[in-house]
Amino acid sequence: MQNNNNYDLLLMIDVFEHVDDYLGFIKKCKDKSTYKIFHIPLDISLWSVLTNYPISARKRVGHLHYFMKDTALATLQDAGEEVLDWFYTPGVMDLQKKMNFFEHIINVLRRFFYWLKPDFGVKAFGGFSILVLTK
């Protein structure tokens, strides 16, 4: 960041998982605004580990770091941010891509377990991100 301006709100949408020194980057942004909104892909789940998704995300979209809800929130707190609120955002479920039969079954399981118990569904089947408001 090249300027010394201060803003009310800074949006960090799918950003710091691409940055080598992500903690340093978040700390440098701390004084740029009062509030920040982070959107963080949750690339770590049981399903993603079984299917080797993190390396796919690294090659396809350039993710250098991988998170689950707890590590994402801890990262923001470790960088000095105060987490005010958060919620899951569906990623894979809202995509209008053509799915094969197996992907369709996984998506049905993902939806069902997210409806039944959101934290378990996200940890087991992935496909979500987290939106976080910090101060």
Side-chain angles (χ1 to χ4, degrees):
M1 298 199 153
Q2 300 295 323
N3 66 47
N4 292 322
N5 295 341
N6 190 290
Y7 302 94
D8 295 326
L9 178 66
L10 177 65
L11 299 176
M12 302 268 270
I13 309 300
D14 293 15
V15 174
F16 69 78
E17 66 275 7
H18 299 273
V19 178
D20 285 334
D21 177 16
Y22 66 101
L23 279 172
F25 177 76
I26 298 167
K27 288 176 183 179
K28 284 181 185 177
C29 294
K30 181 160 180 51
D31 293 331
K32 295 294 180 182
S33 71
T34 305
Y35 297 97
K36 288 138 213 103
I37 293 179
F38 295 88
H39 189 259
I40 308 160
L42 301 178
D43 290 330
I44 299 175
S45 68
L46 176 60
W47 182 248
S48 73
V49 170
L50 292 174
T51 60
N52 205 22
Y53 177 80
I55 198 64
S56 162
R58 186 181 200 91
K59 291 176 181 176
R60 191 172 37 81
V61 294
H63 291 181
L64 301 176
H65 309 285
Y66 311 98
F67 300 94
M68 56 189 212
K69 178 194 78 175
D70 298 326
T71 59
L73 295 175
T75 293
L76 296 174
Q77 292 168 337
D78 290 347
E81 294 293 332
E82 176 188 354
V83 174
L84 301 176
D85 200 6
W86 66 269
F87 61 89
Y88 292 119
T89 62
V92 172
M93 292 191 312
D94 284 348
L95 290 177
Q96 299 299 317
K97 74 174 197 137
K98 190 173 184 172
M99 289 187 238
N100 64 36
F101 178 75
F102 189 69
E103 290 172 325
H104 181 72
I105 296 300
I106 294 301
N107 220 17
V108 168
L109 291 171
R110 183 178 282 128
R111 286 178 188 275
F112 174 75
F113 282 104
Y114 181 76
W115 171 79
L116 185 67
K117 191 160 172 68
D119 281 339
F120 174 79
V122 171
K123 284 181 183 178
F125 295 100
F128 288 83
S129 294
I130 189 173
L131 194 73
V132 186
L133 173 64
T134 68
K135 183 175 183 182

